[in-house]
Amino acid sequence: MSSSILTAVAWPYANGPRHIGHVSGFGVPSDVFSRYMRMAGHDVLMVSGTDEHGTAIQVQADKEGLTPQQTADKYHRVIAEDLQGLGCCYDLYTRTTTRNHREVVQELFRTLHRNGYLIAERQMGAISPSTGRTLPDRYIEGTCPLCGYDGARGDQCDNCGRQLDPADLKNPRSRINGEVPEFVETEHFFLDLPALAGALGEWLETRTDWRPNVLRFSENLLKELRPRAITRDLDWGVPIPLPEWEDAAMKRIYVWFDAVIGYLSASIEWARRSGNPDAWRQWWQNADARSYYFMGKDNITFHSVIWPGILLGANGQGDKGGEPSAFGLLDLPTEIVSSEFLTMSGSKLASSRGHVIYVRDFLRDFGPDALRYFIAVNGPENQDTDFTWEEFVRRINFELANEWGNLVNRSISMAHKNVGSIPAAGELTEADEALLQAARDAYATVGDAWGRCKFKAATTEAMRIVGLANKYISDQEPWKLKDDPARRDTVLHVALQVVSDCNTLLTPLLPHASQKVFEALGGTGVWAAQPNLIEVSEEGGSPYPVLTGDYTAQQAVWESRPIAVGTPLVKPTPIFAKLDDTLAQTGPTWAPIE
């Protein structure tokens, strides 16, 4: 039965290019999931964009001698191009500096304020002594006053998970330049999370199928909820939409509040661009719709508690009641799909420390599917995982090249050489039937794993069928059957059918390679659709690039399709090139030393 599936992907900051640690959390998992769901016949809406507000953008702009808008323009394009190169099949990848996004954010702000879930309070705000600017919570580090962890941020401690304020930290310091911040009294709006705690708790009790780490973390946060500031002393961001605050030039809506609302604003922008302005409601106001939010573990708080809290308040469903916003009642997340960290030599990948492998460099030298495969089989799905060039080379050479690539090449090469086309099968033996049945059975197992975001399990099962097919060919030895062409052709037909099936099983993960395999088997047209980078604009605004695509016409579907006897075959070229073994010890010249 077809369902409406919203894939909501975390918004990367526009303060620099993304590294492979970023896309292992939000990029590859969300795309694999969306591709599978489309193949399985579901109506998928995959949205996100570049997060372009906040101090992080201002800091980078100062470094480069640019304005914040110029910085956002520059890195929005870089990130969008990298995500296109990776094959991320967004229906819309946009940005937060659009007029549409500002209007949606301000409407939810006004609704929360009207419903009583925004309260104005005075607090001690952190100021940079050298610039006079507000330091955002995440740009302040210090010792957690609750557990003693030295490395807690000004908004939360990643060690104990407690919510914090910058003034709570012991020995606070700026992540930008190490200086000790000054604290001054300032007035801000706070989201009244305690007034939403009851509704949040009732909702979380229904989330029994979440990943255990996400559910435990979220439940612990509920125990100590307190109001959380959603405005900051900045001049770069969404203005506060209240008459009495219109003249407050240095007051803006805090970036974390406006970024999570981007899932809704991007859906609304997509609908408008599709020609049906109400189309977004299919994914946001539908009891049968499901929504999956993809991110790294450092963003769990914002998606499992704060964003649902915003939605509940905007729906008028907290302790204070209220009326829904102009958008009506909005659905809460179905599942939070959080990944752990991809590390290098045990340390989190970080651009600020030069401990980084940028996506663009990786794609240039190794292509998208090699990275996608590594993230699936060796990525941080359930625990922090160390990236090493040794493991990367081993996975690509021994699994993609020697197992999958070799199966494709040897099967098609023998059929091309001996028949010139897909041969017909004669009477099937027990071995033939066993392999064909194993491939058919894998659709249920692998599909279930893709759909439940069990990426390693799905890949492992698909590659198990690849291994069975390689063993089958070695056991049947079709190259020795010249005197029995009927049996030879049967073996080759079975092998090619399983190649076709394995290609389907791996299409969500390896869309670029799957297109090549489809064509090598004589297919024509688009098997796995890819995203397009196009220039768009709002009325009176400057053009900007977005990712979008037409994924309805692709031929890939989640079912076994009989191969067509007589389809001409040509001599294949390798699908995956083996990597130089020396890379395992040295890595490429541009990569940091592990």
Side-chain angles (χ1 to χ4, degrees), residues 542-590:
S542 300
Y544 60 95
V546 300
L547 280 177
T548 187
D550 178 9
Y551 309 108
T552 59
Q554 70 175 18
Q555 299 176 58
V557 294
W558 198 255
E559 64 181 20
S560 178
R561 289 182 169 180
I563 53 178
V565 173
T567 301
L569 299 175
V570 299
K571 185 177 181 180
T573 56
I575 302 297
F576 296 101
K578 292 191 68 173
L579 302 177
D580 190 327
D581 287 338
T582 59
L583 279 172
Q585 283 73 48
T586 65
T589 56
W590 46 262

Side-chain angles (χ1 to χ4, degrees), residues 441-503:
D441 291 345
Y443 280 90
T445 306
V446 176
D448 178 69
W450 288 141
R452 292 190 299 119
C453 302
K454 305 292 185 182
F455 305 111
K456 184 173 183 178
T459 308
T460 300
E461 177 61 14
M463 292 299 290
R464 185 182 73 85
I465 305 302
V466 169
L468 291 177
N470 273 316
K471 184 178 185 303
Y472 167 83
I473 292 175
S474 297
D475 290 345
Q476 300 300 317
E477 300 180 317
W479 53 88
K480 294 184 177 180
L481 298 174
K482 292 182 180 180
D483 295 334
D484 189 354
R487 178 59 192 157
R488 178 200 64 200
D489 290 357
T490 299
V491 170
L492 293 176
H493 180 95
V494 169
L496 292 174
Q497 179 63 59
V498 176
V499 166
S500 177
D501 285 329
C502 287
N503 192 48

Side-chain angles (χ1 to χ4, degrees), residues 116-131:
Y117 298 106
L118 295 187
I119 52 180
E121 292 184 356
R122 302 194 71 82
Q123 70 163 180
M124 300 304 292
I127 302 294
S128 166
S130 61
T131 67

